[in-house]
Amino acid sequence: MDHQQIRRLLIENAARLFADAPDAEVQEGVEQSRFPQDLWNAIEDNGLGDALLPESAGGSGFDFPDALSPLRVAGAFALPLPLMETMLARRFLHDVGISAPEGPLALVFVDTSPTLQCQRKGSLLSLDGRLRLAWANDVDSLVVVKATRKETLVGRMKLKRGGDGGFNMAGEPCRDLELDDVTLDGRSSDFWTGESALWLGAAARTQMIAGALDRVLDLSIEHAQGREQFGRAIAKFQAVQHLVAQMASEVAAVGVAAESAAHALTRDDGGLEVGAAKARASEAADKVARLAHQVHAAIGYTREHVLHRFTRRLWLWRDLEGDELFWQERVGRAVLAGGGEEVWPLLSRS
Amino acid sequence: MRAPQTHLRFPHTVLPPSAEELRVEFREFLAREKEAGTWERSRKSWGGWKPGFSKALGEAGYLGLTWPKEYGGGERTYLERYALTEELLAAGAPSGFHWIADRQSGPVILRFGTEEQKQRYLPGIVAGETSFCIGMSEPDSGSDLASVRTRAVRDGDGWRVTGTKIWTSNAHRADYCILFCRTEEPSDKRHAGLSQFIVDLKATEGLTVRPIFNIAGSHDFNEVVFDNSYLPNDCLLGEPGNGWEQVTSELSFERAGPDRFLTNLAVLSDLVGVLGKSASPESARAIGRLFSHLSVLRKASISVAGLLEAGELPNVESAIVKDLGTAFQQELPAIARAVASAERVSDAALLDLIENAILVSPAYTIQGGTTEILRGIIARGLRLR
């Protein structure tokens, strides 16, 4: 099977699995804090949660671009489940030799969480601050990742059920965890040196954003073609055509960014590309969400219409694993450090 | 719900090792020639006119890079040429003399010309000694190119042409102009009856070239007036009536090229050079944002280049890259201005560069297909019209 066939199969398989995820039944259930257990079981049976593990540990053995590609599909189906978090958490736990409990996991990269501070004391991680945790009552543990120059430290914190909760921007049940000098044992992985663990998080989240953008563009085209005013489809009006065309350009850019970020993960100097990709994706997320709502007009602003299942996730996901400001600053500092003569070499090296 | 149905094709594409080898070799060539004084970074980037530099490129075999060897070409791949082109742009090397000839006039002659025309024109282009310009737009025909009124009528063994072309960059100093005009009366088939002629600008009677200055004070544009000028029949490019197919192939091939986002790279490079490590967080973010856009744009452009090399016609994808790229080029000097202001930059050369970049920026979203036209092309591709 050639590479294109593998990718197509992965995407088709994921689309089949996630087909019902955007439906009102699932999404409204989520709004009532009902964990979509059947959907999760189907995902686990398919092995998607283990996709990043090596084959010897039950993983897919696929490279990052292929292994992460179902996440783009997850974004395109508004998957209201911590699939990405679980995939990555299981990989990090495996790499540091901590056993993973059954079921879905929560994941946080302390370096990209603005409301969390993390002090490292030897191999101990001391956490302070607040963390908004989706599905806090349905996940066993929170996996904490701290990147340092020479290694990445991974810790696992068992979560207590119960406690008051609310809902995050995407309407998923969550709890705000208050962490007051909580200490965790951190185990080290020297596979993930420097900030490469953050890159994995950013690349994975970029896939999800890309997928949600793909869907939002599709919905907008469908809406413009179907909605009639003044005796014709609104798609016939140049003003509407130009809104959708702008959306398409942004969506295309993020698609390119997502793929390039996934490919850059195995390069020692991949961070610049990954950071650029996530920055680009986070920036585009808002622009496209707004354009989509404009195209859909009033009906797209209702809870009943499916559009917000995607746009609210765009607004949530753009801030996770580093918002555009975080990565723009990272990328900017790297570029500034090289000086004017290095701008083109940096840009053209990949 | 099914998977999203809209498919924008931007396959992950990496320039091949041979392109990277060519890049290294070419950087060395540029460095040597710069040292020797053959060129220096041009204020007009690739638009700078330096026949000596174009000749040096020709002598070194860097022009006509993808053309058949029988015409002096290098028979290298499109992606290899891509690497070379982006190096020229990044260096701001003055490529105006050979740019149009190498990039589109030569290829259109190669594709549609007679054997005699190929033998006559291509070697000079490959040598970097023959320059071309484009005679397409008219005062009343810009975006609506098919509405051109310049008319050529048969006269014995040749043609008599009357009409006016405008925005003809470098018509005042190029050797040839490829003239797009009507050779048959207009009919209800808008794209029929149009042809192209290869006009010798130095040896055609009844031809007047008048300069047009742009708002930045440069003379690049011209008005070219044909007053019953005689053109021998062997100037007709290919078949009469084939003009529309010729121009659409010319325009589509280069729409998504690196000149759509690298033309004013110097603004970013020089700004970075002046700011250094003490830049504020806001400035660092502005630089990072610009770099993130460029990084993704370049990959999208390379992706389109790969599709073109494979013989595809990615019209929507090309329009997307030009729209995004030219918008970026317009935004870059505006952001550089703001950063320079916030950082209280007093470097005269940089401030001057930014000022000039602002003045030339309106053209990016106009030339080679306005943004409004591009968005119409994208919308059509998305089945909205």
Side-chain angles (χ1 to χ4, degrees), chain A residues 215 218 225 333 344 350, chain B residues 2 5-6 87 279 298 383:
Chain A
R215 174 67 68 191
D218 234 46
Q225 288 171 334
R333 288 281 175 224
W344 175 242
S350 59
Chain B
R2 356 168 250 184
Q5 298 295 296
T6 309
E87 287 298 321
R298 179 172 175 267
R383 298 174 336 266

Side-chain angles (χ1 to χ4, degrees), chain B residues 45-379:
Chain B
S45 179
W46 58 264
W49 183 272
K50 199 96 162 76
F53 175 62
S54 298
K55 186 156 183 227
L57 281 170
E59 274 167 3
Y62 292 125
L63 299 179
L65 199 68
T66 58
W67 304 352
K69 288 203 167 112
E70 63 187 291
Y71 306 111
E75 288 186 1
R76 304 219 40 174
T77 69
Y78 190 69
L79 290 181
E80 285 163 355
R81 183 177 180 279
Y82 188 98
L84 196 144
T85 305
E86 61 175 358
E87 287 298 321
L88 272 174
L89 290 161
S95 305
F97 180 88
H98 67 264
W99 186 260
I100 295 299
D102 181 59
R103 171 183 117 136
Q104 69 191 75
S105 308
V108 80
I109 292 169
L110 201 49
R111 196 156 163 225
F112 297 102
T114 63
E115 191 53 43
E116 188 276 324
Q117 285 168 338
K118 293 180 206 177
Q119 300 286 351
R120 191 179 348 150
Y121 299 111
L122 298 181
I125 299 174
V126 168
E129 288 172 346
T130 310
S131 57
F132 275 71
C133 62
I134 301 169
M136 285 185 188
S137 294
E138 294 181 2
D140 291 333
S141 301
S143 293
D144 187 6
L145 189 57
S147 70
V148 293
R149 298 212 286 242
T150 300
R151 183 77 160 89
V153 292
R154 283 196 187 276
D155 180 359
D157 286 337
W159 303 76
R160 288 261 167 211
V161 63
T162 296
T164 304
K165 291 295 174 183
I166 204 171
W167 320 132
T168 333
S169 296
N170 298 312
H172 61 297
R173 47 192 176 181
D175 298 306
Y176 296 97
C177 173
I178 299 196
L179 170 69
F180 178 67
C181 60
R182 282 216 147 267
T183 39
E184 276 163 54
E185 279 300 296
S187 66
D188 54 3
K189 295 204 183 87
R190 297 195 85 233
H191 300 153
L194 297 159
S195 308
Q196 294 202 108
F197 290 87
I198 303 167
V199 176
D200 185 338
L201 288 168
K202 312 241 157 66
T204 301
E205 286 181 6
L207 193 155
T208 315
V209 179
R210 291 194 199 105
I212 296 173
F213 289 85
N214 64 27
I215 64 172
S218 292
H219 171 207
D220 299 296
F221 287 151
N222 295 278
E223 186 186 59
V224 182
V225 182
F226 294 85
D227 185 6
N228 213 32
S229 306
Y230 180 76
L231 301 176
N233 195 53
D234 62 9
C235 287
L236 178 67
L237 179 57
E239 295 301 309
N242 198 221
W244 187 253
E245 192 196 341
Q246 293 174 5
V247 306
T248 46
S249 99
E250 275 179 73
L251 292 171
S252 69
F253 229 79
E254 291 301 330
R255 181 153 275 168
D259 53 300
R260 304 302 180 187
F261 50 90
L262 290 179
T263 300
N264 54 7
L265 183 70
V267 173
L268 179 60
S269 305
D270 286 9
L271 179 63
V272 167
V274 164
L275 289 179
K277 294 179 190 175
S278 60
S280 70
E282 291 79 17
S283 297
R285 287 198 283 268
I287 299 291
R289 177 174 171 271
L290 290 167
F291 191 92
S292 76
H293 277 253
L294 263 182
S295 170
V296 174
L297 265 168
R298 179 172 175 267
K299 295 201 168 53
S301 172
I302 291 173
S303 184
V304 169
L307 289 172
L308 289 167
E309 185 173 79
E312 309 238 11
L313 291 168
N315 287 326
V316 174
E317 292 80 1
S318 299
I320 284 173
V321 173
K322 186 182 187 274
D323 188 351
L324 289 174
T326 52
F328 171 83
Q329 283 185 170
Q330 272 182 352
E331 213 190 356
L332 171 55
I335 293 172
R337 166 206 171 249
V339 170
S341 171
E343 294 278 358
R344 305 178 76 80
V345 164
S346 63
D347 184 297
L350 176 61
L351 294 177
D352 184 54
L353 183 75
I354 293 171
E355 200 177 85
N356 182 254
I358 289 168
L359 281 177
V360 303
S361 65
Y364 301 136
T365 50
I366 297 168
Q367 66 200 13
T370 65
T371 292
E372 289 66 34
I373 291 292
L374 297 174
R375 288 177 183 177
I377 292 171
I378 296 166

